[in-house]
Amino acid sequence: MPEAFLYFIWQYQYFTRNNLITTDGDVVQILHTGFRNHNAGPDFTNARLLIADVEWVGTVEMHIRTSDWLAHRHQHDRAYDNVILHVVWQDDRAIHSRRVDRADGMPLPTLEIGPLVDPGLLTRYLGLRESPDAIPCASQFKSVSPLRLTSMLDKAMMQRLERKAAGVQEIVKQTNGDWEEAAYQLLAANMGFKINADPMAQLSRAVPLKSILKHRDVLVQAEAMLFGTAGLLPDDEPDDYVRALQREYRFLSAKYLLAGKQIMPHAWKWGRLRPANFPTLRLAQFACLLTRQASLFSLFVGTAEIDRLVKTLQITPSAYWQTHYRFGKETEKGAPALGQSAAENIVINTVVPLLAAYAHHRGQPAYIDRAITLLEQLPSEKNHLTENWETLGLGIRTAFDSQAAIELHNEFCSQKKCLSCQVGAALVR
């Protein structure tokens, strides 16, 4: 049994609270259970208890067995000197015959709560935890209150925004507070569309946006810097366009010291990709978008109209890439512009996190509101996760719904954090 179940039981006091007595025979009265500590140290902070008619304020540590205190060597850790109560599921001191003390040598009051808990609670929890379904509560999902489900999806969505905002803030930190460069790096990774996100992110760090913007009036020069540093320029000269790229790259790589930053060609993935997703075409679209916009950051943060934003992102690459997916291989069908679904994906995974991070930076919640509004105006994403939820009857209409459902699955369901989920916790109760 994981300790998460103990935290749940203690926090919501799902045990018989009459006549609580420590293993040493002292009466315990809970005035306040304290606050869950998600960092290092005791499990609950700022608890208030009456033990043997003396009021104590401090921390509470929880374990499955009493002996786990010794196994975790808390008796040698001064961070646990403020523990006022050791809550355990099972007191096994009779087996180990060792007294449990704090690092300061004081005996530690211990409360065994296993016998005080309704067995049905544990049975229902283990039923969820041991479920073979991708969504542990799938068989009970239709019994969940719509209000509770909506509340949990809202919580999951805000958690996702916070997590993604933290990732953006880390990029801003790495770029020394340059939001423009951060927007560029975020967009680059997004235009790799998962399978090539890593080499695209690496490329954006190798070729600074400032270098590209100095040549935004000559698209072939921006393309040369990106294709050359990406390691995708062919060694031979199949056509005039490639020869122009090679010539420009030789000059620009020397000017901006790019030669030593080249990405190995094998870093790029091509297998099982449709031609429209080939990294060469995505780089061509990326270069065109960069040269069309004087400021990506202003575009992303300053555009409130979703239709205008999506249309601006649906960029058509240079003439060569309208008839090619790869160098030297002309296609009968014209290579497409960035599609609508891809543009919507960029709004979801680049613009929205950027707005959330900027809201924190400026202390202006209005940017969070704008991020949420954008999600509510976009159609839902379609993937196997959203399909699983829809099979269970969850209505997913907007990108807000799909993002919340994805977060709920990835951060709660797949990790079996049912007790941290309002849906799972309600089913256990």
Side-chain angles (χ1 to χ4, degrees), residues 174-219:
Q174 292 170 359
T175 58
N176 297 315
D178 189 334
W179 284 87
E180 194 71 54
E181 191 74 21
Y184 160 68
Q185 291 189 15
L186 193 62
L187 173 64
N190 195 171
M191 288 201 68
F193 294 95
K194 287 190 178 180
I195 194 164
N196 281 306
D198 287 344
M200 282 291 286
Q202 185 181 347
L203 177 63
S204 69
R205 293 190 295 269
V207 184
L209 177 62
K210 292 181 177 66
S211 300
I212 293 176
L213 292 182
K214 288 178 181 178
H215 301 270
R216 62 185 294 256
D217 293 335
V218 185
L219 176 56

Side-chain angles (χ1 to χ4, degrees), residues 367-386:
Y367 289 105
I368 288 278
D369 295 339
R370 188 185 299 176
I372 291 173
T373 299
L374 289 176
L375 290 174
E376 290 174 337
Q377 292 175 336
L378 287 172
S380 65
E381 301 147 279
K382 299 298 180 184
N383 54 50
H384 72 283
L385 294 183
T386 58

Side-chain angles (χ1 to χ4, degrees), residues 140-404:
Q140 307 172 66
F141 189 75
K142 291 184 179 179
S143 68
V144 177
S145 157
L147 183 62
R148 192 181 303 280
L149 180 57
T150 299
S151 177
M152 184 59 209
L153 288 171
D154 287 345
K155 173 185 174 181
M157 185 67 251
M158 294 312 297
Q159 175 178 299
R160 188 171 184 83
L161 279 178
E162 291 294 319
R163 187 164 52 78
K164 289 199 167 190
V168 175
Q169 289 170 319
E170 183 59 31
I171 295 175
V172 172
K173 181 180 178 181
Q174 292 170 359
T175 58
N176 297 315
D178 189 334
W179 284 87
E180 194 71 54
E181 191 74 21
Y184 160 68
Q185 291 189 15
L186 193 62
L187 173 64
N190 195 171
M191 288 201 68
F193 294 95
K194 287 190 178 180
I195 194 164
N196 281 306
D198 287 344
M200 282 291 286
Q202 185 181 347
L203 177 63
S204 69
R205 293 190 295 269
V207 184
L209 177 62
K210 292 181 177 66
S211 300
I212 293 176
L213 292 182
K214 288 178 181 178
H215 301 270
R216 62 185 294 256
D217 293 335
V218 185
L219 176 56
V220 70
Q221 293 179 341
E223 291 177 328
M225 280 191 277
L226 291 172
F227 282 121
T229 311
L232 294 177
L233 268 182
D235 294 327
D236 56 357
E237 300 178 356
D239 49 50
D240 290 342
Y241 173 70
V242 173
R243 283 190 288 274
L245 288 177
Q246 291 170 339
R247 183 173 59 252
E248 295 291 354
Y249 178 66
R250 281 193 294 270
F251 170 73
L252 294 169
S253 64
K255 180 177 180 179
Y256 296 111
L257 305 177
L258 300 177
K261 300 178 181 179
Q262 268 193 329
I263 297 171
M264 298 301 291
H266 62 72
W268 300 93
K269 297 179 176 63
W270 303 80
R272 298 184 180 179
L273 285 179
R274 293 180 299 171
N277 288 325
F278 281 179
T280 40
L281 182 58
R282 290 305 188 200
L283 273 178
Q285 294 165 343
F286 185 48
C288 195
L289 182 58
L290 294 177
T291 55
R292 294 275 183 89
Q293 298 298 322
S295 171
L296 286 175
F297 180 73
S298 296
L299 171 68
F300 295 157
V301 173
T303 307
E305 302 82 10
I306 186 62
D307 291 340
R308 178 186 163 202
L309 189 54
V310 170
K311 187 175 181 180
T312 302
L313 292 170
Q314 289 181 270
I315 200 78
T316 300
S318 58
Y320 183 88
W321 294 105
Q322 294 174 35
T323 57
H324 293 75
Y325 290 107
R326 303 185 75 157
F327 286 110
K329 296 182 179 180
E330 192 167 357
T331 176
E332 294 181 2
K333 296 181 179 179
L338 191 75
Q340 181 165 338
S341 62
E344 290 170 350
N345 183 288
I346 290 173
V347 175
I348 293 170
N349 293 299
T350 297
V351 179
V352 167
L354 191 67
L355 284 167
Y358 198 59
H360 283 288
H361 175 69
R362 294 291 300 272
Q364 295 181 6
Y367 289 105
I368 288 278
D369 295 339
R370 188 185 299 176
I372 291 173
T373 299
L374 289 176
L375 290 174
E376 290 174 337
Q377 292 175 336
L378 287 172
S380 65
E381 301 147 279
K382 299 298 180 184
N383 54 50
H384 72 283
L385 294 183
T386 58
E387 289 172 0
N388 285 347
W389 283 113
E390 288 181 317
T391 300
L392 295 180
L394 180 63
I396 300 180
R397 297 177 298 277
T398 69
F400 181 99
D401 299 333
S402 57
Q403 284 283 288

